[in-house]
Amino acid sequence: MQTAKDKNDLHIENPKMLLFSICFVLMFSVMNGTMFNIAIPDIAESFNLLPSEVSWVMTGYIMIYSVGALVYGKLADTVAFKKLITFGLTVFAIGSVIGFLAPNYYFVLAARVIQAVGGSMMPAIAFIAPIRFFPSERGKILGIISSVMAFASGIGPILGGVIAGFLTWQYLFLTSALMIVTLPFLLKNLPEEETVSAKLDYLGAALVAVTISTTIIGITLGDMNIFWITGLTGIFGTVRMFTAKNPFIPPHLFKNQNYIVAVISSFLAVACLFVLMFTVPIMLRDVYDLTTMQIGLVMFPGAMSAALIGRKGGSLVDQIGSRKVYIMSLSLLMTGFIIVSSTVGLTPWIVSIMLVFPMMCFPLVQASGADILANLLSKQETGVGMGVFNLMNFVSGALSGAIVGVALDLFSPQHPVNIIAVSGDSAVFSNVFFAFMGLVLLSLLLFSLIFKEPSPTT
């Protein structure tokens, strides 16, 4: 049986092609989420749906995707990557074809759920592969992968707008199905691994899934009664974690203070990055009355800056250490939010330039944060440890988006809290960015004051 150490020494026939294939699949996986944001109004019109009904196209996807990322992370500790990737890409392609041919809304929902079951494999694999297969260049590879995620988040709405505008929203499913073409390259370049026989704690996995799913549903619907289910399954899941022989999530992960601090700090920081990607399109539409294509063009420089800086930032992680890069990136992100908060309401091209500052921090925060966690985890627990990291990041995105959505519905101030910001309709957006700047500061203080640098012998 292969040990975890042996996996770092596995022969990779073509490392560059393997990395390219992983990045290609990850890009389409991330874009699949952001492209459909653009198509929501068209889907609602096609099937005569209310906003609350059509919102499940995104809610259902995020719900399955976030839980799936944790499940795949857990499985990656014992199941060969080739098996996981083959299963994930095949299921995703099947969901995409069903969505393209969907005769009614129920088939669209089913297609999105199937897509999420398969697609959630990619973020789990993408953050574990650098640790397992590129240990000497881990920071650099994590930087490249994080930059691809950032770029895909920015380019997704543009591509979605073009496809839905010139064709129809059904072709978004067909575009996503292109991921399957990378499967032969991945299978050829991934090293051979053994699948270790291990029992999965299905009850523990189900309790975690229900806890996360009801949390997202409760936030999305604003129904406090649902949180009773969340609380009960959360309690049972915690008891299960401490009593099961082989629990779905090992409880000793949470006995590591550094691990808890790193996960919470990342949760807060990623929430702010998701808020940026969620709020900016709404702001550009409401304040400047821009079209979908114009919104994409305004955000494009920021997406490109994230793509370009990712590799350099990843190399910096290898050179000076992930802790220093993480603190630096949080400081830059906080500065970026202040800049955007201060310039909302000015001309769109100024806003476009200012968005570069916070958006370029996306790959820096994710790459350095993932590297910090990799240093804290034993090789046998990399999968589940990174799975929890991915799960918390997706939940943070859903939670922050819901909070901002409610804030935008309830408040419409004409005067911003930021004294140098522009007054008027843009004030509420300035306040949102200013408030989340405070959340970045909280993340920075939490990490700087409580996280302890592990000793070389740890």
Side-chain angles (χ1 to χ4, degrees):
M1 183 181 73
Q2 278 180 316
T3 64
K5 182 180 183 299
D6 293 330
K7 290 178 181 177
N8 285 338
D9 300 325
L10 292 173
H11 173 68
I12 299 175
E13 185 174 335
N14 191 333
K16 289 186 178 179
M17 180 55 70
L18 174 59
L19 178 60
F20 175 80
S21 301
I22 289 174
C23 289
F24 183 84
V25 175
L26 181 64
M27 182 175 70
F28 272 87
S29 177
V30 174
M31 285 197 307
N32 183 64
T34 57
M35 284 193 304
F36 276 87
N37 287 334
I38 299 298
I40 291 297
D42 293 335
I43 295 174
E45 184 178 350
S46 296
F47 299 111
N48 194 27
L49 301 170
L50 297 172
S52 59
E53 295 173 321
V54 76
S55 66
W56 283 101
V57 170
M58 295 306 301
T59 302
Y61 185 83
I62 293 173
M63 189 169 62
I64 303 299
Y65 198 87
S66 58
V67 175
L70 175 56
V71 174
Y72 280 111
K74 176 69 174 180
L75 291 174
D77 287 326
T78 55
V79 180
F81 267 32
K82 284 188 176 183
K83 289 187 177 182
L84 292 179
I85 286 175
T86 300
F87 176 81
L89 288 183
T90 302
V91 171
F92 185 89
I94 292 171
S96 299
V97 173
I98 292 174
F100 179 68
L101 300 175
N104 56 53
Y105 181 55
Y106 297 106
F107 274 84
V108 173
L109 280 183
R112 289 292 281 167
V113 168
I114 295 171
Q115 275 192 326
V117 170
S120 57
M121 167 271 304
M122 270 322 298
I125 299 299
F127 278 100
I128 299 170
I131 301 168
R132 183 172 296 181
F133 301 131
F134 303 93
S136 61
E137 297 181 296
R138 187 174 66 196
K140 176 183 176 182
I141 304 301
L142 284 170
I144 293 173
I145 286 172
S146 297
S147 68
V148 168
M149 292 184 67
F151 177 74
S153 297
I155 204 70
I158 302 175
L159 184 61
V162 171
I163 294 172
F166 285 94
L167 298 170
T168 63
W169 60 265
Q170 287 92 338
Y171 282 88
L172 296 179
F173 280 105
L174 203 59
T175 303
S176 300
L178 290 174
M179 286 205 301
I180 195 69
V181 304
T182 61
L183 183 57
F185 300 100
L186 286 165
L187 295 180
K188 180 181 178 181
N189 293 291
L190 279 167
E192 294 294 334
E193 301 174 280
E194 287 186 12
T195 293
V196 181
S197 178
K199 292 184 178 180
L200 183 66
D201 178 16
Y202 293 102
L203 178 57
L207 289 170
V208 170
V210 174
T211 301
I212 299 302
S213 300
T214 54
T215 299
I216 295 174
I217 293 171
I219 292 168
T220 304
L221 300 182
D223 187 349
M224 298 299 293
N225 292 324
I226 293 176
F227 291 117
W228 283 103
I229 302 174
T230 303
L232 288 174
T233 54
I235 292 171
F236 289 137
T238 302
V239 172
R240 177 71 181 178
M241 184 170 63
F242 284 97
T243 56
K245 185 177 180 181
N246 295 299
F248 183 63
I249 300 176
H252 62 263
L253 276 179
F254 304 103
K255 295 179 182 179
N256 185 331
Q257 177 179 288
N258 277 352
Y259 181 81
I260 295 175
V261 170
V263 168
I264 294 176
S265 176
S266 175
F267 177 91
L268 297 174
V270 172
C272 297
L273 291 167
F274 270 102
V275 159
L276 190 72
M277 302 304 296
F278 173 81
T279 308
V280 168
I282 299 174
M283 175 197 74
L284 293 173
R285 182 195 63 199
D286 291 354
V287 176
Y288 300 99
D289 197 27
L290 300 184
T291 64
T292 300
M293 182 61 67
Q294 289 171 330
I295 290 172
L297 292 174
V298 169
M299 297 182 68
F300 185 72
M304 282 302 300
S305 70
L308 293 173
I309 204 170
R311 183 168 182 172
K312 296 292 184 182
S315 298
L316 200 61
V317 168
D318 290 329
Q319 293 168 12
I320 67 173
S322 51
R323 189 178 192 276
K324 290 181 180 179
V325 175
Y326 189 66
I327 291 175
M328 178 188 71
S329 61
L330 288 180
S331 301
L332 289 173
L333 182 60
M334 185 172 63
T335 305
F337 269 95
I338 294 174
I339 292 172
V340 173
S341 171
S342 303
T343 54
V344 171
L346 301 180
T347 58
W349 68 266
I350 292 178
V351 174
S352 179
I353 295 172
M354 295 304 107
L355 283 172
V356 168
F357 293 97
M359 289 181 72
M360 72 179 184
C361 297
F362 193 113
L364 294 176
V365 169
Q366 287 217 308
S368 56
D371 194 72
I372 286 170
L373 288 175
N375 288 327
L376 297 173
L377 297 167
S378 66
K379 292 181 176 66
Q380 293 84 357
E381 295 174 342
T382 299
V384 67
M386 296 304 294
V388 172
F389 168 74
N390 282 319
L391 172 68
M392 294 300 289
N393 285 348
F394 289 126
V395 172
S396 75
L399 179 61
S400 60
I403 291 173
V404 170
V406 171
L408 294 178
D409 287 342
L410 296 180
F411 303 105
S412 54
Q414 293 297 302
H415 301 287
V417 175
N418 185 344
I419 59 174
I420 62 174
V422 178
S423 298
D425 293 338
S426 62
V428 64
F429 296 101
S430 175
N431 290 348
V432 166
F433 296 131
F434 195 78
F436 277 86
M437 176 275 297
L439 208 60
V440 179
L441 176 60
L442 178 60
S443 173
L444 177 60
L445 291 174
L446 176 69
F447 184 81
S448 301
L449 297 177
I450 301 179
F451 187 91
K452 304 298 181 183
E453 190 72 45
S455 63
T457 57
T458 301

